[in-house]
Amino acid sequence: MTVDMKQNQDVVYDVQHLNLWYGETHALKDISMQIMNHEVTAIIGPSGCGKSTFIKTLNRMVEIIPGVRTTGEIQYHGKNIFHEDMQVEELRTRVGMVFQKPNPFPKSIAENVLYGPKIHGIKNKGMLDEILESSLKGAALWDEVKDRLDTNAYGLSGGQQQRLCIARCLAVQPDIILMDEPTSALDPIATGRVEELINVLKKDYSIAIVTHSMQQAARISDRTAYFLLGELIEYEKTEMLFSRPRDQRTEDYITGRFG
Amino acid sequence: MAYEAEWFQKLSEEQNPLVSKQDYVVIDSERIRRRVRKNNFLKQVFLLLTSLGIVVLGILLYQIVVQSIGWLDWSFLVSRLSINADKAGILGAILGTVWLMLIVIPVTIVLGVSTAIYLEEYARPGKLQSFIKTNLSNLASVPSVIFGLLGLTVFSRLMGLGSSILAGGLTLSLLVLPIVVVSSQEAIRAVPGFLRDASYAMGASRWITIWKVVLPVALPGILTGSILAVSRAIGETAPLVVLGIPTLILMYPTNIMSDFTALPIQIYYWTLDTVLTKEYANLAAATIVVLLLVLFVMNSLAIVIRQKFQKKF
């Protein structure tokens, strides 16, 4: 596989020969790929292909599941995330994650956004207010919620909750945001708004997004990786992958003959 | 599809009544009426059996309230104990119960909630965890008199606490500890995993996640369990009797090393001595009313907390 290599500082994640097992199940098989700075990287593939597992490995959230074993390396800005010097809390502070189902805390909108800054020790009221406003604006939610920042987040619609979760991520100024099928629980209109948001966010952030929708990958991403049965089949610029796939299996999938 | 068609045809061939056209269901109104009567009759029987328990409880309560009338008044609540039934009051027992709770509440909540947090959030599934869990449920089924013996051996004798409030409080704490642990474990387990994930993904440590996300969500469940456990402790007699609480204490308890008596103990002793002095039965009844009122208020509080603060996801 040849991915045109950019300068080294443009690489956020350099994954080398990553293998992962759930107990006896070999879920990721010898994955090597680079995730580029200020790009949207889409990861597609049929259910059970390992795409969610892969993205959860990037911030080591996958380790919460008992019985997970990995081999290989993932360099994050040149540092191996599996090295014993790497503190997982630090990694997860710099790497944001948005989940499949919106998961705000049962607290107020403001407390949700400020959860990260507060646990990292920011106490200054003026600074917190600033973070609150800029994060909600960044997630295109400010205008809808500015008059009810102290109401419970569960009063928001599903799409608003998901954008709140994005705002919660932005509040700690991550350099990459991992999204695990962020629109699969949303209706088409809310999905459209989140996609618009991703288009805006990519100016300032790197984004890796798992999606089951090939149309979504084609609409929003710069590069696309196709996973099948735990293997990385093809990783290319998105327009290349969808117009001239090199692997027969990729072509079968994107033309709908499989999956 | 093919299989279903085949099966259906086979049925028809066998002249199965389900698919035959022959009429065989005869509407027999008399028969249906009998069935309805039988149903109504059984309904009444079940209602009767259900009420039986409630009726017995009702009679008991009625008896107690009737016996306490004329005895339960303000001076009964604020007087010292006395051999003379007319002068006797239960302030000492009320204070004793309050002092006991001052030991039981912090000890059980700190030990119980910590144990639950360890078991649910920190302990890796393994031999140690299953050993503790098995023993917790064993502990919950140990008769309370045995806890009394444990308290007598360890707290009274070994640690030399005698029959003090501290010895009684620690004994009662051990007795209700499994209740607090198990209910806190359930409350913690009911906190959805996606909330923990959200917190971990923000770079929060395990403890911050427990403190800021898990415990606030689990709090109503933990409180409910703790209140029920404390009200169980308030009503327990057997372990305190084993500790050797004196029958007649005229002094009010002043600190955790004081000798004491408590409401259930006082009920027990007065009931025992009814053969000597008939009026003690009335004193016991009046004390029962006080104790039941306290327990009723606490259990209602537990229900209110559960209804009002439990969050749905």
Side-chain angles (χ1 to χ4, degrees):
Chain A
M1 173 170 323
T2 51
V3 174
D4 49 332
M5 295 275 191
K6 288 193 178 183
Q7 294 289 326
N8 215 24
Q9 61 261 38
D10 287 338
V11 178
V12 180
Y13 275 113
D14 189 358
V15 181
Q16 294 297 335
H17 305 292
L18 174 70
N19 281 283
L20 183 141
W21 289 265
Y22 290 120
E24 293 301 305
T25 317
H26 197 177
L28 291 176
K29 297 170 187 162
D30 198 37
I31 309 288
S32 295
M33 67 183 277
Q34 292 181 322
I35 291 173
M36 300 299 173
N37 210 356
H38 292 272
E39 280 192 3
V40 176
T41 307
I43 296 160
I44 60 169
S47 303
C49 69
K51 55 191 194 296
S52 279
T53 303
F54 176 70
I55 204 168
K56 283 183 177 150
T57 312
L58 295 177
N59 64 349
R60 292 178 54 185
M61 281 294 282
V62 78
E63 289 170 18
I64 289 173
I65 305 161
V68 165
R69 233 160 16 95
T70 52
T71 64
E73 278 198 2
I74 299 179
Q75 302 275 345
Y76 171 69
H77 293 298
K79 274 161 89 182
N80 185 6
I81 65 166
F82 297 121
H83 194 274
E84 55 185 23
D85 287 348
M86 175 62 80
Q87 288 202 61
V88 74
E89 287 83 5
E90 191 185 326
L91 175 71
R92 290 177 189 158
T93 308
R94 302 188 60 192
V95 179
M97 179 164 244
V98 177
F99 294 81
Q100 195 165 349
K101 195 181 154 222
N103 57 356
F105 299 121
K107 299 167 185 273
S108 75
I109 293 169
E111 279 176 285
N112 263 283
V113 177
L114 296 176
Y115 184 80
K118 278 183 176 166
I119 65 173
H120 293 108
I122 298 174
K123 290 199 177 80
N124 183 307
K125 178 86 173 67
M127 197 166 172
L128 288 173
D129 284 343
E130 216 168 279
I131 294 173
L132 177 61
E133 186 171 340
S134 65
S135 306
L136 284 169
K137 277 182 175 159
L141 192 60
W142 175 253
D143 291 331
E144 291 158 65
V145 300
K146 64 179 178 217
D147 301 321
R148 46 172 174 149
L149 294 170
D150 292 322
T151 60
N152 195 298
Y154 279 81
L156 299 174
S157 71
Q160 288 173 323
Q161 287 183 17
Q162 194 61 300
R163 277 180 283 140
L164 178 65
C165 292
I166 294 173
R168 188 172 62 186
C169 263
L170 300 182
V172 288
Q173 297 180 300
D175 85 313
I176 179 166
I177 303 172
L178 311 174
M179 300 185 171
D180 184 7
E181 301 195 25
T183 60
S184 65
L186 305 183
D187 64 54
I189 293 168
T191 298
R193 299 208 57 177
V194 171
E195 285 186 12
E196 272 169 39
L197 177 60
I198 291 171
N199 263 325
V200 176
L201 287 175
K202 75 176 181 190
K203 291 193 192 81
D204 298 311
Y205 300 91
S206 314
I207 292 169
I209 178 171
V210 166
T211 174
H212 61 266
S213 151
M214 282 176 279
Q215 290 82 357
Q216 186 169 62
R219 278 195 299 268
I220 61 176
S221 72
D222 302 298
R223 275 169 216 272
T224 300
Y226 172 56
F227 276 62
L228 180 65
L229 298 170
E231 280 181 77
L232 175 59
I233 302 298
E234 191 163 348
Y235 180 38
E236 254 311 338
K237 287 234 161 89
T238 299
E239 67 264 26
M240 284 285 287
L241 186 120
F242 282 103
S243 57
R244 273 171 290 153
R246 275 175 296 152
D247 196 292
Q248 184 61 41
R249 289 168 293 182
T250 315
E251 189 174 344
D252 287 350
Y253 184 65
I254 62 176
T255 53
R257 252 174 285 173
F258 164 68
Chain B
M1 286 300 153
Y3 172 77
E4 274 175 28
E6 204 177 287
W7 175 76
F8 193 77
Q9 187 159 11
K10 207 166 149 204
L11 277 184
S12 314
E13 280 166 7
E14 285 170 3
Q15 290 285 306
N16 188 307
L18 271 173
V19 285
S20 78
K21 288 238 162 72
Q22 205 183 324
D23 264 347
Y24 66 94
V25 175
V26 186
I27 308 273
D28 179 350
S29 318
E30 182 50 37
R31 201 187 153 89
I32 290 175
R33 211 170 292 131
R34 268 205 310 276
R35 274 201 321 239
V36 171
R37 264 205 305 276
K38 195 169 161 189
N39 179 44
N40 286 338
F41 172 72
L42 282 175
K43 189 171 123 189
Q44 301 300 328
V45 170
F46 289 132
L47 179 66
L48 188 76
L49 292 177
T50 308
S51 345
L52 215 61
I54 299 172
V55 168
V56 171
L57 187 68
I59 292 171
L60 190 72
L61 280 176
Y62 174 77
Q63 287 277 358
I64 288 166
V65 171
V66 166
Q67 283 194 44
S68 71
I69 288 174
W71 294 84
L72 179 58
D73 53 20
W74 186 247
S75 72
F76 178 71
L77 292 178
V78 298
S79 307
R80 276 173 207 276
L81 284 176
S82 166
I83 306 174
N84 189 335
D86 289 327
K87 284 189 191 160
I90 54 166
L91 185 59
I94 292 174
L95 288 174
T97 292
V98 170
W99 271 103
L100 275 180
M101 291 312 112
L102 288 180
I103 306 282
V104 171
I105 292 170
V107 170
T108 47
I109 290 183
V110 169
L111 286 184
V113 177
S114 307
T115 309
I117 288 175
Y118 175 74
L119 288 177
E120 290 302 314
E121 299 286 324
Y122 285 104
R124 296 247 157 194
K127 284 211 176 106
L128 178 70
Q129 194 197 21
S130 59
F131 176 77
I132 297 176
K133 280 189 175 170
T134 315
N135 278 295
L136 270 174
S137 37
N138 282 340
L139 215 54
S141 57
V142 170
S144 57
V145 67
I146 311 244
F147 276 97
L149 285 170
L150 180 100
L152 184 69
T153 314
V154 177
F155 301 127
S156 298
R157 301 268 163 82
L158 208 63
M159 294 168 64
L161 299 176
S163 53
S164 64
I165 288 170
L166 190 56
L170 290 177
T171 307
L172 289 177
S173 301
L174 273 188
L175 173 71
V176 298
L177 192 60
I179 305 176
V180 179
V181 174
V182 169
S183 61
S184 303
Q185 270 184 296
E186 272 160 20
I188 289 172
R189 216 177 299 141
V191 177
F194 60 77
L195 293 181
R196 289 186 184 83
D197 286 351
S199 176
Y200 291 139
M202 297 294 298
S205 65
R206 212 162 260 260
W207 169 245
I208 287 183
T209 304
I210 293 168
W211 182 246
K212 297 197 111 182
V213 178
V214 176
L215 283 182
V217 176
L219 196 62
I222 293 175
L223 274 182
T224 307
S226 302
I227 293 173
L228 292 179
V230 167
S231 63
R232 164 97 195 274
I234 289 181
E236 268 301 334
T237 327
L240 296 179
V241 171
V242 175
L243 279 183
I245 308 298
T247 27
L248 184 66
I249 297 182
L250 297 176
M251 301 286 284
Y252 293 141
T254 52
N255 61 62
I256 56 171
M257 295 311 292
S258 307
D259 275 344
F260 71 103
T261 185
L263 290 170
I265 296 281
Q266 212 45 54
I267 294 168
Y268 174 70
Y269 284 148
W270 269 330
T271 314
L272 274 188
D273 291 344
T274 305
V275 276
L276 304 174
T277 316
K278 251 185 80 194
E279 286 78 15
Y280 281 174
N282 301 87
L283 292 177
T287 315
I288 289 171
V289 172
V290 172
L291 184 59
L292 284 181
L293 279 176
V294 172
L295 295 181
F296 177 73
V297 168
M298 291 189 63
N299 288 357
S300 313
L301 195 67
I303 292 169
V304 168
I305 290 174
R306 183 163 44 200
Q307 300 285 333
K308 206 167 170 186
F309 296 102
Q310 216 143 61
K311 293 180 173 96
K312 301 265 186 293
F313 294 96

